Amino acid sequence: MASKAIPEPISRLIDAFSSLPGVGPKSAARLTYFLLRAPDHVALGLADALKALKAETILCSNCFNIATTDPCSICADTNRDQRTIAVVEEPLDVIALERTGEYRGLYHVLHGVISPVNGIGPDDLKIRELITRVERGTALEVIMATNPGMEGDATANYIRAELAGKGVKVTTLARGLPIGGDIEYADSVTLSRALRGRSEF
Amino acid sequence: MASKAIPEPISRLIDAFSSLPGVGPKSAARLTYFLLRAPDHVALGLADALKALKAETILCSNCFNIATTDPCSICADTNRDQRTIAVVEEPLDVIALERTGEYRGLYHVLHGVISPVNGIGPDDLKIRELITRVERGTALEVIMATNPGMEGDATANYIRAELAGKGVKVTTLARGLPIGGDIEYADSVTLSRALRGRSEF
């Protein structure tokens, strides 16, 4: 998009937007020209929110979710079930589980998965902290809620082995056909799992 | 996306991203969590670029393109053909025309189209300024480069009528099949225009 026709403040914002995942140069230009025409407070509000993002957030020292207080509002909520910990890869997964309205336990955010290809080992994640938390805490069940797939499964297996003999039940989210999905288009791995996990009707 | 699980600085940024055109709540959340994990300078660089966007840009008082100087670098470029003015709807259209590398004339940015449905009349656009510019200036040809379509065509027709008798040739960009397009899938209006505008092979 570099061109003499584009003033520097505009090309700078286009470049900044383009560096975000899933934003191509055309969307970046469209966003920029939208902001140019929008009232000032739209661009400035976004700028302020960006500055506040890191300045005003911390990691909860118990569950490692992103929070504004330590412990976070979930860990501090005594109405939640302190005996259950759902282990997830990312803070976004916490939001997805909260959105179901079904889960009343606590969380533990790993901040990634074990991935030898990317040079990420168990010590780069919050796994040691999970083991310590289970050893010292009140948890009776640890739900492995890592993403279904090779790396998520490998990470879950590793953690299950580490938790063996610590007096907690380790469970995993059910695998099967997604609701609204189509058997015709289901991949064979999912379909095999759905077959093996079939239940009485 | 509102949920007790999302700290305020995060939901604020998700909301700010969601207010942009073409960014849904899921993309907004993904962008936000990407920025949380990225080095600080990514979010702060975007914030600074947003603040500079309006603070450091003005409209060229001659062509009304967005610029950092007045007149803008295109209007001030004496190597460009001062006898030709391309009339476009938006600053983005200037960039598109510049990208062709074919056009060496000047521009005039209308900042919209005549649109009675949206309450936008000729006086809400830079049409009066274009007429004055043609009357006082050196232009011999005005190329109507508004978007092909009802509103763009109506705006071009209005301007053509206003320019009648002012001693300039008014032309319009060719309509026809887009390069790489497929006759099978061309809409019939485009195909009719391509037929009518056919040239000797």
Side-chain angles (χ1 to χ4, degrees):
Chain A
M1 292 293 292
S3 154
K4 249 189 74 181
I6 310 179
E8 193 274 338
I10 293 178
S11 60
R12 177 150 52 115
L13 185 56
I14 293 176
D15 289 347
F17 273 131
S18 303
S19 72
L20 301 178
V23 182
K26 282 204 174 180
S27 325
R30 215 165 291 129
L31 290 173
T32 300
Y33 282 89
F34 165 81
L35 289 170
L36 266 173
R37 305 197 69 184
D40 282 14
H41 70 84
V42 180
L44 296 180
L46 181 54
D48 288 341
L50 283 161
K51 292 205 167 172
L53 180 68
K54 295 239 178 151
E56 296 176 13
T57 55
I58 48 172
L59 288 188
C60 170
S61 63
N62 190 44
C63 73
F64 299 96
N65 195 7
I66 291 155
T68 48
T69 54
D70 188 13
C72 71
S73 58
I74 294 177
C75 286
D77 184 348
T78 51
N79 287 322
R80 297 191 71 118
D81 177 5
Q82 312 285 320
R83 293 161 305 176
T84 317
I85 299 175
V87 177
V88 298
E89 295 178 16
E90 301 291 347
L92 271 178
D93 303 328
V94 172
I95 296 172
L97 281 164
E98 284 296 288
R99 221 183 289 130
T100 67
E102 294 267 326
Y103 183 66
R104 297 294 304 154
L106 306 179
Y107 293 94
H108 193 90
V109 182
L110 297 175
H111 290 276
V113 276
I114 298 173
S115 170
V117 194
N118 297 309
I120 298 167
D123 294 341
D124 300 311
L125 308 172
K126 304 295 184 191
I127 293 179
R128 194 59 38 211
E129 291 82 350
L130 172 65
I131 312 297
T132 312
R133 187 176 162 195
V134 167
E135 284 170 348
R136 298 198 186 150
T138 54
L140 297 177
E141 180 180 358
V142 172
I143 305 172
M144 297 310 310
T146 49
N147 288 330
M150 233 165 47
E151 294 184 334
D153 289 349
T155 308
N157 283 331
Y158 177 89
I159 293 173
R160 189 186 48 191
E162 291 287 305
L163 287 175
K166 310 266 185 215
V168 284
K169 184 165 76 171
V170 181
T171 59
T172 180
L173 295 182
R175 264 69 160 143
L177 295 170
I179 310 304
D182 209 323
I183 291 180
E184 188 181 345
Y185 298 117
D187 63 291
S188 50
V189 182
T190 301
L191 206 50
S192 309
R193 289 294 207 102
L195 260 175
R196 267 186 272 155
R198 69 191 179 277
S199 58
E200 209 151 338
F201 188 59
Chain B
M1 293 292 292
S3 155
K4 248 189 75 181
I6 310 181
E8 194 274 337
I10 293 178
S11 60
R12 177 149 52 114
L13 185 55
I14 292 175
D15 290 346
F17 274 131
S18 303
S19 71
L20 301 179
V23 182
K26 281 203 175 181
S27 324
R30 216 165 290 131
L31 289 174
T32 301
Y33 282 90
F34 164 81
L35 289 170
L36 267 172
R37 304 195 70 185
D40 282 13
H41 71 83
V42 180
L44 297 180
L46 181 54
D48 288 340
L50 283 161
K51 292 206 164 170
L53 181 68
K54 296 239 179 153
E56 297 176 13
T57 55
I58 50 172
L59 288 188
C60 171
S61 63
N62 189 46
C63 74
F64 300 96
N65 194 8
I66 291 153
T68 48
T69 55
D70 189 12
C72 72
S73 58
I74 293 177
C75 286
D77 185 347
T78 50
N79 286 322
R80 295 190 74 117
D81 177 6
Q82 311 286 320
R83 293 161 305 177
T84 317
I85 299 175
V87 176
V88 297
E89 296 179 15
E90 300 291 348
L92 270 179
D93 303 328
V94 172
I95 296 172
L97 281 164
E98 285 296 288
R99 223 183 287 130
T100 66
E102 294 267 327
Y103 183 66
R104 296 294 304 154
L106 306 179
Y107 294 94
H108 194 90
V109 183
L110 297 174
H111 290 276
V113 276
I114 297 173
S115 170
V117 194
N118 297 308
I120 297 167
D123 294 342
D124 300 312
L125 309 172
K126 304 297 182 190
I127 293 180
R128 195 57 39 213
E129 291 82 349
L130 172 65
I131 311 298
T132 313
R133 188 177 162 193
V134 166
E135 284 170 346
R136 300 198 184 150
T138 55
L140 298 177
E141 180 180 357
V142 171
I143 304 172
M144 298 309 309
T146 50
N147 287 330
M150 234 165 46
E151 294 184 335
D153 288 348
T155 307
N157 282 331
Y158 178 89
I159 292 173
R160 190 185 46 188
E162 292 286 307
L163 287 175
K166 308 268 185 215
V168 284
K169 185 165 74 171
V170 180
T171 58
T172 181
L173 295 182
R175 265 68 162 143
L177 295 170
I179 309 303
D182 210 323
I183 289 180
E184 188 180 345
Y185 298 117
D187 63 290
S188 50
V189 182
T190 300
L191 207 49
S192 310
R193 289 295 207 103
L195 259 175
R196 267 184 274 156
R198 68 191 179 278
S199 59
E200 210 153 336
F201 190 57

